[in-house]
């Protein structure tokens, strides 16, 4: 008996988050669970907790990668958690643990995860999130833009090679 | 519905390992699963694979924290895996993710995990593993010595605060 | 006798880089050295090497934080280098080691450093680099925009609290 | 003009330390500086500060790799310092930055550095430090034992390939 090969999809976004973002993250979590994916997140509150809750309550696996040294800081919807003691540097581990990430809104922490994902070749799906351009030129960035949680999950699974 | 609070017990040891060590690790894994604990390991072969196999085949959760950047290097008995891209530095993350660790035999990598655990206050149970002393003085070290997998698991759960 | 307290200024940008970016970085490095600052960089080629060269040849201290496990990969203009074995995750260490960073052009790696700096409160000066906005709203971002190496260095030193 | 290739020698030991250990570390630091080596240490007090002081006051380069997020915690004898925000995990970076390490006495943190060095192939010189053995067998360990600071420095430089 061997472990199933599952897609690992990161959901990244703000903490705290408003209710619109929270509902989107919770729905993304639920859809990921229904698709058999593992939900990866930073393990704390706001969008992380809402995404984990959506997935966990739908029977999915959730993995929280925490900044501090104790799992007591994690939200209550994590199947498994990993305290790292690395502070915000753990954002890079969230990305390394994901086959694709979905960015929902977000502040600078989310931006750091988007950038690290793009740098290391992890596909990024964006739902109302950062827009990246350069002073020297404009044009579409490398984020796959979507408008709904359903599109976000479908896009992330496809980009992760599962569809 | 909230996630259960479970003990996380690391099993650390050599890769590759001989059959005596392998059987001990597999039995420790099985006992941990039966106790409802999460088995934490480095995710690769040898003692890591044997411990994960014992736990996974008994229906337990197994978490592998991998040195490279892809989960393809993980053994097939990991419920969830975390590629870190940190090389041997990920040994410290194995310890951070554990409420107690059981060291079975082992080489320098195991020693680094024992030392990091003792430094950061994570209890260490030893089964035929390193003996630590200082040039300046002799005497018992801080490792809880046991002789069997059964004793190892009972000791680790007790030291982790579950018993 | 105690070590001088010096500003540590990171210079982040692309590898490889074109000649315009290279000349800007080299000039920034020289100006930082003349101001008594330590030049922090990722230690490799392109803009990192040009900045380090500018600073080192002007008699300044240069610190390279390397992604691999050997300092042999560093460019030849590093007073001191730190191999990390953490791959691109070392970008976060570049930022942690800096009191302010100057971003010159740059790709996703540079973006990850900009984002990590903004997240952790390290001031960012931008010279022809990324422009950050959000789908939900437009407006100026938190990067201090400048047009010349002279302005970049003056701005970085001021934002780092030295001026 | 290129940077000199210098040996990087780590000095690892306890914080706080007694006067015997402190004098040994300070002398090791001075001898390393006189040999043109870079002194690598954890940047804090006790043996780290004494070693850095010995090297710095003799005109050598000293590099401190700090556990926290600010260089304000570093001792005053560091030519350059790197805050990591990784806590005790930064011990592994001390080792990665060293071509050889000298362990003087020490507690569990020192042991973690000895073990990580032995794991990753960085030579270890020991002066009154940990003795490693296994339950299954006794015999000399892989630490090069010395009795004086002079022997420690000579041994470390030779093992690092400089002599």
């Amino acid at each position: 008996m061997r472990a199933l090969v599952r897609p690992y999809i990161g959901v990244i976004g703000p903490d705290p988050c408003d209710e619109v973002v929270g509902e989107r993250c919770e729905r993304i979590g639920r859809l990921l669970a229904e698709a058999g994916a593992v939900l990866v997140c930073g393990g704390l509150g706001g969008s992380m907790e809402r995404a984990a809750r959506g997935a966990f309550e739908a029977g999915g696996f959730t993995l929280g990668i925490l900044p501090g040294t104790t799992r007591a800081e994690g939200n209550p919807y994590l199947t498994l958690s990993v305290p790292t003691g690395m502070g915000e540097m753990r954002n890079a581990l969230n990305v390394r643990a994901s086959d694709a990430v979905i960015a929902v809104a977000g502040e600078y922490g989310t931006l750091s995860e988007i950038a690290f994902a793009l740098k290391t070749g992890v596909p990024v799906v964006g739902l109302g999130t950062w827009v990246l351009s350069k002073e020297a030129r404009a044009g579409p960035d490398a984020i796959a833009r979507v408008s709904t949680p359903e599109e976000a999950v479908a896009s992330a699974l496809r980009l992760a090679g599962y569809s």
Side-chain angles (χ1 to χ4, degrees), chain A:
Chain A
M1 188 182 69
R2 298 181 156 232
L4 285 179
V5 175
R6 300 168 185 278
Y8 285 62
I9 308 294
V11 177
I12 57 183
D15 177 12
C17 69
D18 64 32
E19 187 53 29
V20 171
V21 168
E23 285 182 8
R24 284 177 158 191
C25 287
E26 197 163 331
R27 179 142 185 79
I28 287 170
R30 187 161 57 249
L31 293 167
L32 287 171
E34 292 172 0
V38 175
L39 181 283
V40 179
C41 71
L44 299 181
S47 62
M48 297 174 268
E49 179 162 348
R50 295 297 294 271
R53 181 177 174 175
F56 189 77
E57 295 193 340
F61 281 115
T62 60
L63 172 62
I65 300 180
L66 296 161
T69 57
T70 166
R71 61 173 47 86
E73 70 183 357
N75 70 58
Y77 307 108
L78 302 174
T79 311
L80 296 181
S81 61
V82 181
T84 65
M86 297 172 71
E88 297 299 339
M89 209 185 307
R90 73 81 160 77
N91 287 5
L93 292 177
N94 289 348
V95 173
R96 288 218 196 279
S98 300
D99 301 321
V101 296
I102 300 171
V104 184
E107 301 296 335
Y108 295 131
T110 305
L111 180 63
S112 76
E113 289 166 314
I114 291 172
F116 193 79
L118 293 173
K119 174 66 180 174
T120 58
V122 173
V124 179
V125 176
L127 181 56
T129 192
W130 289 94
V131 175
L132 312 172
S133 57
K134 295 185 185 177
E135 287 186 46
R137 58 177 161 78
D141 63 27
I143 299 175
R145 304 281 166 183
V146 296
S147 311
T148 66
E150 286 72 14
E151 289 173 4
V153 169
S155 177
L157 291 172
R158 186 176 62 249
L159 291 168
Y162 296 84
S163 67

